[in-house]
Amino acid sequence: MIDIRRSRLPHTGVTIFTQMSALANETQAINLSQGFPDFSVDPRLIDGVLAYMREGRNQYAPMQGVMPLRENISEKVFRLAAHRYDPATEITVTSGATEAVFCAISACLQPGDEAIIIEPAYDAYIPAITLSHAIPRPSAMRYPPYRIDWDHVRDLISAKTRLIILNSPHNPTGAILQREDIEALRQIVALGDILIVSDEVYEHIVFDGMTHESMSRYPDLAERSFVISSFGKTYHATGWKIGYCLAPAALSREFQKIHQFVTFASNTPIQYALADMIADASSYLELGAFYQQKRDLFRSLIASSRFSLLPCQGTYFQMLDYADISQEADTEFAIRMTREFGVAAIPPSVFYSDGQDNHVLRFCFAKNDETLKAAAEKLCRI
Ligand code: PMP
Ligand code: GLN
């Protein structure tokens, strides 16, 4: 038996996504908790993977990723952000964004360094900081609506601050970074030797004509950033676990030192198929409009319920305020709603170090219209 006092992550349990999906399965509830689509992957992509497998592309990929994929990622980013990442030295294909987040954070932090995170924060960040013997410094977003409190972030900066972790479009709030956020960030990182890990997995899921403010659009930010994305989100294939990390050569070198021992290389035939897919820009440029229709449908279906709708500028998550229904803790209400009303959602308090509870739940709308209608019908009965 391992002595729990010797655990490297003594306060960490199984993720809320695992917990809520298990409860949804057990109770046969409609699962709007863990973020994954219930519709199919583009047949061109599936045919591509099969073709590359049959062609014999079944052995280790290069540690950095197959070259056609790195080249086409470079092209895509140049097209969107006018920044040219060198496929030979500045792009690494990873086993999902989760792996990229872990490698990037581990590459930045020495024991005792401080890393600023914006809360509610995706649950993968703090464990990676802790495993590096570094210290997370959380800054809660102002609410409502959810916006980064840059004055508070500035107050957290110290001589030990080495890293700030950003996520836009933001999971779970659906907020996106705007131009004024970028200006505030620029001033803050210039205060010290501060690196940025920018989790941009929902980069193509931005609504209402707004712009995704990638770090790669700003040379002074790009030079200190690890920019992370995931094909799971873009191509409705969360189970394929392929992502990537863009960073200047010196940072990519440190990143790859870790990546090569975490996983060495990622799935080969899927990488080749993705390389072909992203060569067709419409495959990602149309994603925002596709999900905007889902967001609008879900919002219109919920409008007559007792939930209040919070803004949603990006991602495939809608936050709903249930304060008019119940004063229960969000973790309790999420469980009761799953059991009694048959819809599972995520309680965002678990994404705060201090458990801040705003009486809201996160609902994933990456679902067929029929699923959304069936879920909304149940939610309107509450
Ligand atoms: N970051 C955020 C903000 C996410 O929401 C997710 C997954 N939904 C990830 C990282 C992990 O992505 P992947 O599934 O590619 O590992
Ligand atoms: N990122 C997904 C979400 O936010 C879940 C990923 C996971 O289950 N680890 O729902």
Side-chain angles (χ1 to χ4, degrees):
M1 264 282 276
I2 295 215
D3 181 343
I4 193 67
R5 282 171 301 176
R6 300 191 60 205
S7 166
R8 298 284 310 282
L9 297 171
H11 307 299
T12 304
V14 290
T15 76
I16 192 68
F17 309 114
T18 304
Q19 291 180 47
M20 291 310 302
S21 277
L23 184 64
N25 290 338
E26 177 201 317
T27 57
Q28 302 283 296
I30 300 176
N31 190 2
L32 304 191
S33 66
Q34 190 178 26
F36 61 88
D38 71 349
F39 34 82
S40 47
V41 171
D42 189 320
R44 281 180 298 166
L45 203 44
I46 296 194
D47 291 345
V49 176
L50 287 173
Y52 282 114
M53 281 182 168
R54 292 208 173 96
E55 199 183 293
R57 309 270 182 169
N58 299 307
Q59 308 310 327
Y60 292 127
M63 181 271 282
Q64 306 91 325
V66 305
M67 192 43 107
L69 181 55
R70 281 185 278 151
E71 282 168 350
N72 290 355
I73 290 170
S74 175
E75 257 334 291
K76 179 188 85 138
V77 177
F78 182 68
R79 218 189 130 124
L80 296 176
H83 185 99
R84 178 73 73 186
Y85 286 93
D86 181 347
T89 56
E90 299 186 315
I91 299 176
T92 315
V93 179
T94 59
S95 298
T98 308
E99 194 232 330
V101 162
F102 183 82
C103 294
I105 293 174
S106 305
C108 294
L109 296 174
Q110 302 276 354
D113 284 348
E114 296 183 0
I116 294 175
I117 55 167
I118 308 298
E119 291 188 338
Y122 188 61
D123 63 352
Y125 308 149
I126 288 183
I129 296 168
T130 306
L131 289 170
S132 294
H133 301 283
I135 300 153
R137 292 280 178 233
S139 178
M141 285 172 129
R142 285 198 309 266
Y143 170 83
Y146 290 99
R147 304 284 309 162
I148 296 176
D149 182 347
W150 290 107
D151 291 335
H152 185 251
V153 172
R154 202 172 295 110
D155 289 345
L156 290 178
I157 303 283
S158 77
K160 292 184 178 165
T161 309
R162 181 62 174 142
L163 175 64
I164 176 163
I165 302 176
L166 295 169
N167 168 215
S168 180
H170 185 256
N171 178 7
T173 66
I176 65 172
L177 287 178
Q178 296 178 21
R179 194 53 207 253
E180 54 270 30
D181 296 304
I182 297 293
E183 292 313 321
L185 174 66
R186 283 178 138 159
Q187 290 177 11
I188 283 173
V189 291
L191 292 174
D193 190 16
I194 301 174
L195 297 169
I196 299 169
V197 168
S198 186
D199 180 344
E200 304 184 8
V201 299
Y202 302 101
E203 59 176 326
H204 302 300
I205 313 180
V206 171
F207 307 133
D208 306 320
M210 298 180 84
T211 303
H212 167 56
E213 292 287 6
S214 174
M215 296 304 124
S216 51
R217 291 164 61 95
Y218 300 94
D220 55 325
L221 296 176
E223 72 176 12
R224 56 174 80 230
S225 292
F226 296 85
V227 175
I228 292 168
S229 191
S230 169
F231 293 109
K233 313 293 165 186
T234 305
Y235 293 120
H236 315 318
T238 60
W240 288 13
K241 297 297 295 186
I242 303 288
Y244 60 87
C245 178
L246 314 170
L251 298 183
S252 285
R253 243 190 327 273
E254 292 306 308
F255 180 97
Q256 290 172 2
K257 285 182 190 173
I258 300 172
H259 163 74
Q260 69 182 342
F261 295 119
V262 170
T263 185
F264 183 68
S266 302
N267 186 297
T268 307
I270 295 180
Q271 288 191 56
Y272 280 108
L274 285 168
D276 295 340
M277 197 70 183
I278 62 168
D280 169 11
S282 68
S283 69
Y284 52 86
L285 292 178
E286 288 166 8
L287 197 65
F290 172 79
Y291 275 120
Q292 185 166 324
Q293 179 269 325
K294 301 255 172 231
R295 178 200 65 171
D296 292 346
L297 172 66
F298 188 58
R299 288 175 71 92
S300 70
L301 293 167
I302 292 299
S304 62
S305 76
R306 291 165 68 203
F307 290 93
S308 314
L309 290 153
L310 296 172
C312 172
Q313 300 169 317
T315 74
Y316 46 50
F317 303 118
Q318 172 66 53
M319 296 281 258
L320 297 179
D321 175 326
Y322 64 85
D324 287 346
I325 300 174
S326 166
Q327 288 301 310
E328 282 161 280
D330 65 358
T331 43
E332 285 164 26
F333 186 64
I335 291 172
R336 190 162 72 82
M337 192 178 77
T338 309
R339 290 195 183 284
E340 291 179 18
F341 295 95
V343 181
I346 293 290
S349 67
V350 303
F351 302 133
Y352 287 93
S353 305
D354 67 358
Q356 185 181 133
D357 184 352
N358 299 319
H359 295 128
V360 300
L361 293 177
R362 188 201 82 173
F363 294 78
C364 172
F365 57 77
K367 304 293 169 192
N368 282 304
D369 291 358
E370 293 65 41
T371 315
L372 293 176
K373 284 177 194 156
E377 203 179 295
K378 290 174 187 288
L379 294 172
C380 287
R381 275 195 228 122
I382 302 181

